[in-house]
Amino acid sequence: MSQITIALTKGRIEKDTIKLLSRAGFDLSFMADKGRNLIFESPDSRFRFLLVKGPDVTTYVRHGVADLGIVGKDILFEHPTGYLEMLDLNFGLCKFSLASVPSYDPHDHKRKRIATKYPTVATDYFNQKGEDVEIISIQGSVEISPVLGLADAIVDIVETGHTLSANGLLVFEDICRGSARLIANQASLKNNPDLMPFVAKIESLVGRREVAFK
Ligand code: PRP
C-alpha cells in the first residue's frame, strides 16, 4: 500500500478537520500532544499529515508533495489552480462580506480604499458592480483598518461575526459563502490506487454535495 500524504490547514478549520478524520475511523490521538510538530505519521505509516497555512495547502498539493489537502474555499478563491476540488466538506462555513464603520456610505461617489486578505474576491466583487476601487492587500486583523483610517471598508470572511462587532464594524453587503473543501493532486489520483477509496469514505461521511462556486 502506498502512503497517502494529506495537507491540513492550521487554525480556523483545524478542529473540525480532525473531527471529520476521526469519524472516518482514524485514531488521531498521535496528533493530540502535537506541541510544535508539523508532520505526523499514523502508527501504521499509511498516512502522513502536514499541518500548514491555508495557501500552502494548495502549494503542497499542486507540487504533489501532498496527495490531498483540506482547506477553506476562501483560500481556493485566491489560489484557484493546480489541484482538483473533490468535495465540499460542509464545515468551516463562512461568508465573504463588505464591512465597515457605521458612518461608511457605500453609495457616495468617492473612490473607495478597500482593505482585504482576499484581493481576488474583492476585485471581482467591485468589478461586477462596475466600481473602481483601490485594493489594499493586508495579511490579517483586517477589521482595524477602517477604524484607523487605512481603508474605507473591508472585504473579509465572517464566521461568528464576533471580530466585526468587537471592532465596531457592520456588514454592508454579503458577497458569497464558503466552506472547507477536499482537494487532490491530479497525478496522485491517477497513480495511487488507495486515494479514491479514501475520498469515497470521506464522501460517505459528508454526503454528496455539489461543489459550489467552482
Ligand atoms: C478570520 C477573518 C476574521 C475572523 C472572522 O481571521 O479574517 O478576522 O476570522 O471570524 P468571526 O466572524 O468568527 O469573528 P483569522 O482568524 O483567520 O485571523 P487573521 O485576521 O489574523 O488572519
Side-chain angles (χ1 to χ4, degrees):
M1 274 194 172
S2 333
Q3 189 177 59
I4 296 177
T5 298
I6 310 178
L8 310 180
T9 306
K10 272 164 108 170
R12 205 168 64 84
I13 63 169
E14 190 178 329
K15 261 194 192 158
D16 284 337
T17 300
I18 304 280
K19 254 193 230 164
L20 175 67
L21 293 172
S22 306
R23 283 175 60 217
F26 290 100
D27 175 6
L28 292 176
S29 50
F30 60 92
M31 284 178 77
D33 289 320
K34 57 184 164 66
R36 305 293 285 178
N37 292 336
L38 299 170
I39 302 180
F40 304 87
E41 198 167 83
S42 62
D44 61 5
S45 295
R46 282 196 58 211
F47 291 88
R48 191 166 59 141
F49 298 97
L50 319 178
L51 210 45
V52 297
K53 291 213 174 220
D56 300 334
V57 169
T58 65
T59 305
Y60 279 101
V61 172
R62 185 180 312 116
H63 287 270
V65 173
D67 304 299
L68 297 170
I70 295 182
V71 61
K73 182 66 184 175
D74 52 309
I75 304 293
L76 301 186
F77 278 127
E78 297 293 321
H79 303 271
T81 57
Y83 53 81
L84 293 175
E85 196 174 322
M86 305 293 290
L87 294 174
D88 182 341
L89 299 175
N90 200 24
F91 64 78
L93 305 179
C94 63
K95 60 179 183 171
F96 280 95
S97 300
L98 173 71
S100 190
V101 291
S103 59
Y104 175 67
D105 177 2
H107 305 298
D108 69 18
H109 293 292
K110 294 178 194 150
R111 185 171 187 249
K112 311 280 190 317
R113 293 161 305 149
I114 305 296
T116 187
K117 287 189 288 189
Y118 302 97
T120 305
V121 173
T123 302
D124 286 354
Y125 168 69
F126 284 103
N127 280 347
Q128 274 174 26
K129 286 178 128 19
E131 200 176 329
D132 175 40
V133 298
E134 179 190 350
I135 301 289
I136 302 175
S137 279
I138 208 159
Q139 295 300 311
S141 306
V142 183
E143 289 83 356
I144 62 172
S145 62
V147 179
L148 298 175
L150 176 71
D152 299 304
I154 65 172
V155 167
D156 199 14
I157 53 167
V158 180
E159 199 173 346
T160 62
H162 293 160
T163 316
L164 285 185
S165 55
N167 289 284
L169 304 190
L170 301 176
V171 169
F172 282 80
E173 192 170 354
D174 289 331
I175 298 173
C176 62
R177 298 192 169 273
S179 53
R181 305 294 161 98
L182 180 72
I183 62 170
N185 175 276
Q186 191 159 13
S188 299
L189 275 181
K190 208 168 140 201
N191 300 329
N192 186 338
D194 296 330
L195 224 54
M196 271 322 284
F198 175 81
V199 173
K201 188 171 196 176
I202 298 292
E203 185 175 1
S204 71
L205 293 174
V206 297
R208 176 169 275 285
R209 284 168 50 85
E210 278 297 307
V211 172
F213 314 123
K214 215 164 173 187

